[in-house]
Amino acid sequence: MINDLVLGLSVSLVAMLIHLAGTLLLVVLMNPFHDVMRHRVHLRLTVALVATYLVMLAAHVLEVGLWGLLYDSLGLAERTEDAYYAAFVNYTTLGYGGSQRVAETRLLGPLASANGILMFGWSTALLVLVVQRHLPAQLATRD
């Protein structure tokens, strides 16, 4: 049980670092872009939202891949594809899809789910931030 907890928290930490890297990448990409598109507010909002969505989606896919690697390395699924499926199911909090050997570990699934909830919340917060930063300019063009 302690081993599962240590493994799960370690993967969660690495997943958080991936999300942090994605967030920092957005900051690096969007700051110069913001200055170039200062007067094209509609296009700027669209590009900012699309970029945020794509970067965060890529981060989620990488994070699920980490969980899938862990499941596969522990032999929690019969096939590698099943390990990634189980990781997606847990990370997105859909529940077990019959592909993970639940009896062998009781903590990795819930830890993957908790990690997914937190990372989806982080992504949602970034999307809200983009809208908050750009929406006032959108509304000002209507006046």
Side-chain angles (χ1 to χ4, degrees):
M1 184 167 151
I2 296 296
N3 190 38
D4 289 346
L5 188 60
V6 170
L7 284 172
L9 291 175
S10 298
V11 172
S12 291
L13 178 61
V14 173
M16 191 270 316
L17 293 173
I18 290 171
H19 234 70
L20 178 60
T23 302
L24 294 175
L25 176 65
L26 284 169
V27 169
V28 168
L29 291 176
M30 297 313 290
N31 276 341
F33 174 76
H34 180 76
D35 294 336
V36 170
M37 301 294 289
R38 183 175 310 279
H39 301 293
R40 307 208 51 203
V41 294
H42 302 298
L43 182 59
R44 187 176 71 211
L45 172 63
T46 302
V47 170
L49 283 171
V50 168
T52 302
Y53 171 79
L54 291 174
V55 169
M56 290 297 97
L57 182 62
H60 287 293
V61 169
L62 288 173
E63 292 155 15
V64 169
L66 280 176
W67 285 103
L69 285 172
L70 178 62
Y71 291 179
D72 193 40
S73 69
L74 294 175
L76 297 177
E78 291 181 20
R79 300 178 311 163
T80 300
E81 297 84 14
D82 292 337
Y84 286 98
Y85 171 74
F88 262 110
V89 166
N90 284 324
Y91 187 86
T92 59
T93 70
L94 291 173
Y96 295 108
S99 62
Q100 187 179 17
R101 297 180 186 156
V102 180
E104 293 182 26
T105 178
R106 296 185 187 269
L107 292 178
L108 292 180
L111 285 170
S113 295
N115 183 234
I117 289 169
L118 289 168
M119 296 304 101
F120 281 120
W122 183 333
S123 295
T124 301
L126 285 175
L127 289 167
V128 169
L129 178 64
V130 168
V131 171
Q132 286 177 334
R133 287 192 72 199
H134 295 281
L135 194 57
Q138 291 282 326
L139 296 174
T141 60
R142 291 184 166 179
D143 295 337

